[in-house]
Amino acid sequence: MTTLEQRPSVSTAIPGPSSSRLLERQAQRESSVRTYPRGLPIAIRRGVGSYVEDLDGNVFIDFLTGAGAMPLGHSHPELVEAVAKQLPVLTHGLDFPTEIRDEFIAAQLSMLPEGMRSRMRIEFCGPSGADAVDAALKLFKTATGRSDIIAFQGAFHGSSHAAMTVSGLVAQKERVAGRVPGVHFFPYPYPLRCALGGGAASGQRCLEYLEHSLRDPLGGVPLPAAVIVEMVQGEGGVIPASSDFVQGLRRVTRELEIPLIVDEVQTGGGRTGTWFAFEQHGIEPDAIVASKAIGGMGMPVAIVLHDERFDAFAPGAHTGTFRGNQLAFAAGVASARIMRRDGILDHVRDLGAYALGVLEGFARDHEIVGDVRGRGLMLGIELVDPSTGEPNTSAAGALQRCAIERGLIVELGGRGDCVVRLLPPLNVSRETLDQAFEILDSVLDELSPVASRNGHAPRSATI
Ligand SMILES: Cc1ncc(COP(=O)(O)O)c(C=O)c1O
């Protein structure tokens, strides 16, 4: 394969003619559920590092990176080699022990804080994040004999039946009858627009409300089987939970003997600058669900790490054909080794701090940027209507569109998809980040109402 130029270059309209052909065939033959190519209309030929090339030869910086499943970018040569080496040996092993599975388990356990390593068990389930969420909910219902679950507004835990039910996204679930019963939603700290009042005290208020509801004999919420929470709500708009909230949540759940599940499907594997994001709050959850990045290069694998006290499944109580993808194990082992060897977590923290500084500059310079936030290399830019402060869905859509036309792929999330989400590979270079920021800055300039008042109308979109 020829090398891919390490800078964005777009020489056709988006989509170009070859991409258009495949997009049309896709629209004719695939279900209407297809998602990403609607906002990002390209057909992909290949990916190398932080870049992808479409069928028309356009090169884009890829800050979607398989929705976070490509922690070391595309086609990392050592990961390709590790998978290629495993391919002729064994690809599928159900849940039989194999050497590479054993190495994968050792690698995952070794990444936990020391005090947790010996008491956590690892459960393999179906390979998606939603599978792991379902498995964890079922495990804690089994272990506690209770049936209710507490989740948070703004959460996203996946699209399977149970994972969808504990997610906040109303549009996804309101057309589905017979949802999993007994799910109670509580406000999640969101300084910009918290249901209980914004600002820095948002975490404290959310915690007090939750604690009061759980302790109140007339509070309406029976003792739940588990609380499930993200340390940074990703799809919800890149909203990091404050430490006072997370630590308080751990205290309350301990005092009331409610198992605490942290969903690290998106944050796990180094995305926020520590292997798991909960580490930054000094807590120890009862269970962690992880997927995405732990498969190294988009290889399918998901796990539930849980305290051995909750090892309640009888043999066969949660089976699944795809619990032993040996290629995912090989990629995951190699990826964890590279992360350690190359000091990737330090790199994520350093570049994350640098990136947040640049984004803060965007917030100062552009009125439509209502907030910027993130942890490590999980970053978000919330676009607002400057006159009302309300989510600015159309500006975010226009930004995504203008950015891809200039060679940058970004995802949207949050309320009304008003948050531009950046998920660069964890080994992204400063140079690539700067290329991306240059594109974002130029697009923000054009989208800003001030710029249009000065006669610079938005180039390819109305806001
Ligand atoms: C926090 C979180 N949990 C669960 C999921 C679901 O993962 P999957 O899409 O692999 O089912 C996602 C997906 O984005 C996620 O961000």
Side-chain angles (χ1 to χ4, degrees):
M1 189 168 79
T2 55
T3 54
L4 192 65
E5 214 175 340
Q6 301 289 292
R7 66 180 180 80
S9 99
V10 178
S11 57
T12 69
I14 298 296
S18 300
S19 283
S20 291
R21 189 175 49 83
L22 275 203
L23 287 163
E24 277 159 29
R25 280 163 68 77
Q26 184 185 44
Q28 279 162 10
R29 301 194 301 187
E30 288 189 32
S31 138
S32 58
V33 80
R34 65 194 187 284
T35 313
Y36 292 108
R38 292 180 188 275
L40 299 164
I42 54 167
I44 299 173
R45 174 183 289 152
R46 61 180 173 148
V48 178
S50 303
Y51 299 82
V52 291
E53 183 185 30
D54 75 2
L55 285 190
D56 297 286
N58 298 311
V59 177
F60 308 90
I61 300 171
D62 181 9
F63 279 4
L64 173 57
T65 49
M70 307 291 294
L72 299 175
H74 295 276
S75 321
H76 190 290
E78 288 175 80
L79 298 186
V80 171
E81 193 189 331
V83 171
K85 206 169 134 209
Q86 181 64 35
L87 195 53
V89 178
L90 184 73
T91 53
H92 185 267
L94 294 170
D95 59 0
F96 290 105
T98 63
E99 280 181 334
I100 196 68
R101 183 187 186 99
D102 191 64
E103 278 180 55
F104 181 84
I105 292 169
Q108 295 307 320
L109 292 175
S110 76
M111 291 300 198
L112 287 171
E114 208 172 335
M116 295 179 75
R117 284 179 206 158
S118 58
R119 67 178 174 81
M120 296 305 266
R121 294 284 182 114
I122 187 166
E123 181 199 338
F124 290 89
C125 48
S128 76
D131 291 328
V133 167
D134 279 18
L137 298 178
K138 189 172 141 187
L139 176 71
F140 284 102
K141 286 186 176 189
T142 307
T144 60
R146 305 174 197 155
S147 63
D148 290 46
I149 300 289
I150 287 182
F152 291 93
Q153 291 165 355
F156 183 76
H157 299 291
S159 293
S160 66
H161 203 74
M164 173 195 74
T165 311
V166 292
S167 297
L169 201 58
V170 175
Q172 197 181 76
K173 59 176 144 179
E174 65 187 352
R175 294 175 67 187
V176 181
R179 294 184 293 274
V180 176
V183 181
H184 308 272
F185 284 90
F186 281 84
Y188 182 90
Y190 185 6
L192 194 63
R193 27 182 124 259
C194 177
L196 302 175
S202 166
Q204 195 52 39
R205 280 195 292 265
C206 289
L207 179 70
E208 278 167 14
Y209 179 63
L210 175 69
E211 181 167 11
H212 187 269
S213 304
L214 286 173
R215 291 190 190 278
D216 179 359
L218 299 187
V221 185
L223 205 59
V227 171
I228 182 162
V229 66
E230 290 158 275
M231 297 289 97
V232 182
Q233 287 189 339
E235 306 298 308
V238 194
I239 310 173
S242 53
S243 270
D244 57 352
F245 175 76
V246 175
Q247 289 164 359
L249 184 61
R250 179 65 286 195
R251 173 186 57 75
V252 172
T253 49
R254 272 236 165 86
E255 287 172 8
L256 297 177
E257 297 186 352
I258 304 168
L260 179 64
I261 305 168
V262 295
D263 179 345
E264 297 259 9
V265 168
Q266 192 161 143
T267 46
R271 171 63 52 193
T272 68
T274 45
W275 186 253
F276 288 120
F278 73 81
E279 296 167 44
Q280 293 170 35
H281 305 290
I283 63 150
E284 293 191 357
D286 299 301
I288 304 152
V289 291
S291 175
K292 293 194 193 265
I294 62 168
M297 55 182 309
M299 292 285 161
V301 59
I303 55 174
V304 183
L305 290 154
H306 62 80
D307 191 297
E308 60 193 357
R309 286 184 300 133
F310 299 103
D311 196 13
F313 277 151
H318 198 80
T319 59
T321 304
F322 295 105
R323 292 181 295 151
N325 188 317
Q326 312 290 304
L327 303 181
F329 296 151
V333 167
S335 161
R337 180 176 48 75
I338 295 166
M339 296 273 299
R340 269 217 179 92
R341 183 197 67 196
D342 295 353
I344 301 284
L345 293 178
D346 291 339
H347 179 76
V348 170
R349 286 193 292 271
D350 290 350
L351 275 202
Y354 166 72
L356 205 53
V358 174
L359 298 190
E360 279 160 4
F362 289 170
R364 281 192 297 275
D365 295 347
H366 303 282
E367 269 190 304
I368 58 168
V369 177
D371 193 19
V372 296
R373 47 188 186 250
R375 290 276 183 279
L377 287 174
M378 184 169 177
L379 299 155
I381 306 169
E382 178 153 346
L383 299 189
V384 298
D385 177 333
S387 53
T388 62
E390 289 301 306
N392 198 334
T393 302
S394 55
L399 185 147
Q400 184 186 45
R401 175 80 206 175
C402 292
I404 194 169
E405 287 172 356
R406 292 169 203 194
L408 172 64
I409 293 174
V410 293
E411 172 59 325
L412 304 179
R415 267 74 181 177
D417 268 351
C418 74
V419 180
V420 177
R421 304 179 52 216
L422 310 179
L423 288 172
L426 305 183
N427 57 353
V428 68
S429 68
R430 163 96 179 246
E431 198 187 346
T432 300
L433 268 186
D434 285 338
Q435 290 169 357
F437 289 146
E438 209 174 295
I439 293 173
L440 285 173
D441 199 23
S442 71
V443 175
L444 284 167
D445 264 349
E446 293 195 21
L447 293 181
S448 139
V450 175
S452 30
R453 270 204 301 278
N454 290 340
H456 307 288
R459 193 169 65 160
S460 65
T462 43
I463 56 168

